[in-house]
Amino acid sequence: MNELHYQVDLLRAINRKQMERERMYLKVCQVAVGAFLYVSFERGQITTLGQWSEYFPFEIKEFRDLELLLDAVDESCLLQMGDVIYPEKSGRETADMECLLRDGRTWMQFRTRVYYNEKGKPDEKVIYISDITKLHAQKDELTYMAYYDSLTGLYNRNYFVRLLGEYLKRASETGCIVSVVVINIDEFRKVNDSMGLVVGDELVRQFGAFLKELCREDIIACHLHSDVYCMAIYDPVGNKSVSFLHRSIQERIREPFYLKEGKDVSITVSMGVAEYPEASDAALELINCAEIVVFKGKACGAGTLHYFDAPVMDELLHSIELENKLKKAVYSKDFVIHYQPQYYAGNRRLRGVEALVRWKGDGGELIGPTTFIPVAENNGSIVPIGRWVMEESIRQYAVWKQQFGFPFIMSVNISALQYKREDFVDSVMEVLDRYQVRPTELELEITESVLIEDFRSVAEKLRLLREQGVKISLDDFGTGFSSLAYLKRLPVDTLKVDKSFIDTVMTDSSTRVITESIINMVKSLGFEAIAEGVEEEQQYRYLHAIGCDVIQGYLFGQPLPPEEMESVFSDLLQ
């Protein structure tokens, strides 16, 4: 009897423990993020657990009810869904898939695990279902970011380069041409400056949307940066040729773009074309070649279409070679300074000299600044070159002043990149102090291009230098668009009339009117006027007659190396 009681108590304890485990598993399923479907093949039972009722409006209690899952998913998932629900039909243990439901919004992940008995027959099956709609949206967003530009909806640069690479690979196998077209909105900066960045972005978006309409099979487009786009055409013929593309764009931009706040903008665009295999066989190089030609073409005027050809390639290679040599020259300081004298027009007395840098080539030849200064400004090497010119010219001035005993003015040209440096004013004063040269004996020459990008900052630095006694000269006056506007706010002492006026002042009446107006204005403002490029006695007499203060040019002296300039100083002392 006691044995019977013992057996009953043991069964009750086992049953209680089993019930506790079931409650535990049930609670775990209820709080789990997802729904569970348990199938017992032996008992022919199906149980749903977890968030099943939140996911599906139906219950599954019998084997035939599993077909309801097929009815719940999108048609595109039906075939694969059958394999996931019934993996035992093909003897598999696991199966999974991501599936869109029929509502077109909800994404579910189905994971199935089948447990087989010792005889290899399916014994149990668990299907775990989770809602991955939010995760799928994040995945889609990351995928979009990986391939598309967020502003325009066009391909981004990286993915475009990848697709272009595939075009080139296919073209190498078929012998076809691939055209790469870079498109730039002309004077886009004016839109940003006058209407604001928001309107500018809207213009970029709308023009990008138009380019997207032109894309089709074998035509792709991307937003490179700012207001620059790039398109690639595989096998450009007929209505997918560059000329067809150009006509389509020209036809669209005849009408203005209607932007936010009721504003409308009319634009022109410039286009540059580089083709495989003529220009390059590499994707990035093709894009670079097309960019080069579009911006070179813009120098000829807005709204142009130019092709990258052999002369452009030669010029590019020459530019690259020049840039590489220039970098070495900066490191080894392969430069010299020639000095061109300036004389007062009235008594022909020496006013000063202008320091003009020359680059010593590999063969000993001297390369003029018009050849290498633009390259130096583009790659930033103008800063160390300018620093060396400042140092060397002031050092040379100190030597001459001590040697010949009379003061004059040393004029030094300063680039825009030098003025941008925060320590520019301090560096100038430090060099003057080191060689014990008075600030009043130094003149810094600036061009209008220096002022365009950051007028306020440059003007403040000029003011600080001028307060110390340094003279400021505005070079190439009359060639810019806004010179007169700057004069009211610039701390300037001297204006240099550009050589282009002097060249024709004796042969063109319009030039004489402009030159006389400039000289009269300069005098009325209390500035000093210097005419540069004076080569004929007749030019000198005319300029002296209309009140020009200082003459500079080959008539009175060409740029000379230091030793020859010393002969000029010696003659002045006699």
Side-chain angles (χ1 to χ4, degrees):
M1 190 69 179
N2 289 336
E3 179 66 22
L4 182 60
H5 283 300
Y6 172 77
Q7 292 292 336
V8 170
D9 290 341
L10 181 61
L11 288 172
R12 286 175 177 173
I14 293 174
N15 187 47
R16 186 165 54 248
K17 189 174 182 180
Q18 185 67 28
M19 292 177 64
E20 289 175 355
R21 287 196 175 192
E22 287 185 4
R23 281 199 302 271
M24 179 183 69
Y25 292 140
L26 183 62
K27 291 182 183 299
V28 168
C29 290
Q30 287 174 342
V31 299
V33 181
F36 298 87
L37 191 150
Y38 172 76
V39 179
S40 174
F41 290 95
E42 182 181 355
R43 296 192 301 271
Q45 293 180 343
I46 297 180
T47 306
T48 55
L49 301 166
Q51 297 177 322
W52 183 273
S53 59
E54 296 180 25
Y55 287 177
F56 302 106
F58 52 82
E59 286 289 329
I60 293 182
K61 297 181 180 180
E62 300 177 4
F63 283 103
R64 63 184 180 183
D65 294 338
L66 289 172
E67 298 295 321
L68 294 174
L69 285 176
L70 294 176
D71 295 335
V73 302
D74 188 78
E75 291 183 2
S76 61
C77 303
L78 281 177
L79 185 61
Q80 190 178 356
M81 189 63 180
D83 295 335
V84 172
I85 296 176
Y86 305 110
E88 66 274 9
K89 290 183 179 181
S90 56
R92 290 185 298 155
E93 289 187 357
T94 61
D96 67 86
M97 70 172 292
E98 294 179 1
C99 182
L100 178 67
L101 298 190
R102 281 193 181 274
D103 62 10
R105 300 186 307 272
T106 308
W107 281 87
M108 291 289 188
Q109 184 172 46
F110 292 80
R111 292 179 179 174
T112 303
R113 177 66 184 263
V114 180
Y115 298 87
Y116 293 87
N117 59 25
E118 297 172 350
K119 297 179 180 180
K121 298 292 185 180
D123 191 18
E124 297 175 294
K125 178 168 64 175
V126 176
I127 301 177
Y128 171 63
I129 306 165
S130 58
D131 188 337
I132 59 168
T133 303
K134 187 177 294 186
L135 185 63
H136 205 277
Q138 292 173 347
K139 182 180 177 182
D140 286 345
E141 185 176 354
L142 289 173
T143 301
Y144 185 87
M145 292 172 61
Y147 298 116
Y148 296 93
D149 172 66
S150 60
L151 179 60
T152 62
L154 298 172
Y155 291 131
N156 60 30
R157 180 188 178 95
N158 290 339
Y159 190 57
F160 178 83
V161 171
R162 176 178 162 186
L163 294 178
L164 177 56
E166 294 175 4
Y167 273 13
L168 299 181
K169 183 179 179 181
R170 182 153 53 111
S172 68
E173 297 170 351
T174 60
C176 289
I177 292 173
V178 176
S179 295
V180 173
V181 187
V182 168
I183 306 163
N184 176 231
I185 300 176
D186 297 319
E187 298 186 333
F188 177 72
R189 183 175 176 178
K190 288 185 178 180
V191 176
N192 276 341
D193 291 345
S194 61
M195 298 185 179
L197 296 177
V198 174
V199 174
D201 284 349
E202 176 65 13
L203 176 59
V204 169
R205 188 196 66 76
Q206 284 197 26
F207 188 70
F210 165 69
L211 293 182
K212 193 172 184 179
E213 294 176 3
L214 298 178
C215 295
R216 63 192 73 173
E217 185 179 2
D218 291 338
I219 300 180
I220 55 175
C222 82
H223 181 213
L224 278 183
H225 55 83
S226 184
D227 58 325
V228 183
Y229 309 82
C230 189
M231 300 186 75
I233 309 172
Y234 178 83
D235 190 20
V237 292
N239 62 357
K240 61 171 187 173
S241 63
V242 173
S243 58
F244 179 82
L245 187 70
H246 181 249
R247 287 196 303 272
S248 300
I249 293 174
Q250 293 302 312
E251 184 177 344
R252 170 60 187 89
I253 63 178
R254 289 194 189 102
E255 299 293 327
F257 287 84
Y258 296 98
L259 309 177
K260 294 180 178 179
E261 300 176 4
K263 297 177 180 178
D264 59 90
V265 177
S266 295
I267 64 170
T268 60
V269 299
S270 295
M271 300 169 60
V273 184
E275 293 188 326
Y276 165 88
E278 180 185 10
S280 176
D281 59 359
L284 284 174
E285 288 184 12
L286 276 172
I287 295 171
N288 189 39
C289 290
E291 270 198 293
I292 289 170
V293 77
V294 74
F295 288 110
K296 285 183 67 67
K298 285 170 75 75
C300 303
T304 57
L305 171 66
H306 289 275
Y307 281 78
F308 191 90
D309 53 18
V312 175
M313 176 66 81
D314 293 340
E315 185 177 341
L316 174 62
L317 293 175
H318 175 70
S319 176
I320 293 172
E321 181 183 11
L322 188 68
E323 185 170 353
N324 291 332
K325 288 183 177 180
L326 185 59
K327 289 178 181 178
K328 295 178 182 177
V330 170
Y331 179 77
S332 56
K333 296 181 180 177
D334 290 333
F335 300 95
V336 296
I337 299 177
H338 285 188
Y339 300 88
Q340 186 170 32
Q342 302 169 334
Y343 294 92
Y344 289 109
N347 54 21
R348 301 198 182 193
R349 182 169 55 86
L350 181 73
R351 173 193 185 263
V353 296
E354 180 181 358
L356 300 168
V357 65
R358 303 287 188 265
W359 174 16
K360 291 187 295 184
D362 294 338
E365 76 281 6
L366 294 181
I367 303 172
T370 54
T371 300
F372 70 89
I373 290 298
V375 177
E377 288 181 334
N378 187 54
N379 66 16
S381 60
I382 190 64
V383 173
I385 294 174
R387 189 185 304 119
W388 179 85
V389 171
M390 175 71 71
E391 173 99 16
E392 177 60 22
S393 58
I394 292 177
R395 184 201 65 78
Q396 183 64 71
Y397 178 87
V399 171
W400 283 338
K401 184 179 178 182
Q402 184 176 14
Q403 182 178 354
F404 298 103
F406 61 86
F408 55 92
I409 296 173
M410 173 63 72
S411 294
V412 180
N413 291 280
I414 304 297
S415 75
L417 291 180
Q418 287 177 270
Y419 275 109
K420 286 182 178 180
R421 296 182 64 87
E422 291 296 326
D423 64 344
F424 175 70
V425 175
D426 291 338
S427 65
V428 172
M429 300 310 298
E430 188 274 328
V431 175
L432 289 172
D433 184 63
R434 179 156 22 105
Y435 292 103
Q436 297 183 348
V437 173
R438 290 181 295 185
T440 54
E441 295 165 345
L442 174 66
E443 181 175 68
L444 300 182
E445 293 195 12
I446 64 172
T447 59
E448 188 175 334
S449 61
V450 172
L451 306 168
I452 291 174
E453 294 186 7
D454 192 0
F455 177 86
R456 183 176 300 177
S457 175
V458 171
E460 176 61 20
K461 290 172 183 175
L462 295 179
R463 184 187 63 78
L464 292 173
L465 287 166
R466 196 161 180 260
E467 287 179 355
Q468 298 292 328
V470 177
K471 297 181 182 298
I472 307 298
S473 173
L474 183 59
D475 198 7
D476 301 334
F477 183 75
T479 60
F481 295 103
S482 308
S483 298
L484 296 177
Y486 290 135
L487 289 182
K488 296 180 181 179
R489 297 179 287 163
L490 265 183
V492 171
D493 299 281
T494 304
L495 272 72
K496 298 186 75 172
V497 182
D498 187 68
K499 183 179 183 299
S500 61
F501 291 99
I502 307 306
D503 288 342
T504 58
V505 73
M506 302 309 301
T507 58
D508 183 68
S509 58
S510 298
T511 302
R512 284 199 298 275
V513 171
I514 295 173
T515 303
E516 290 177 17
S517 299
I518 291 174
I519 297 295
N520 290 332
M521 181 195 66
V522 170
K523 301 294 287 183
S524 64
L525 290 173
F527 300 151
E528 187 178 45
I530 298 179
E532 56 183 349
V534 180
E535 299 178 356
E536 301 172 2
E537 182 71 23
Q538 190 179 12
Q539 292 173 339
Y540 158 65
R541 291 176 181 173
Y542 167 73
L543 291 166
H544 177 42
I546 63 174
C548 185
D549 299 298
V550 180
I551 301 297
Q552 178 179 346
Y554 276 34
L555 177 64
F556 286 172
Q558 64 185 45
L560 300 171
E563 58 274 13
E564 293 185 31
M565 193 67 224
E566 289 173 4
S567 298
V568 175
F569 292 143
S570 298
D571 292 340
L572 291 174
L573 290 176
Q574 294 178 1

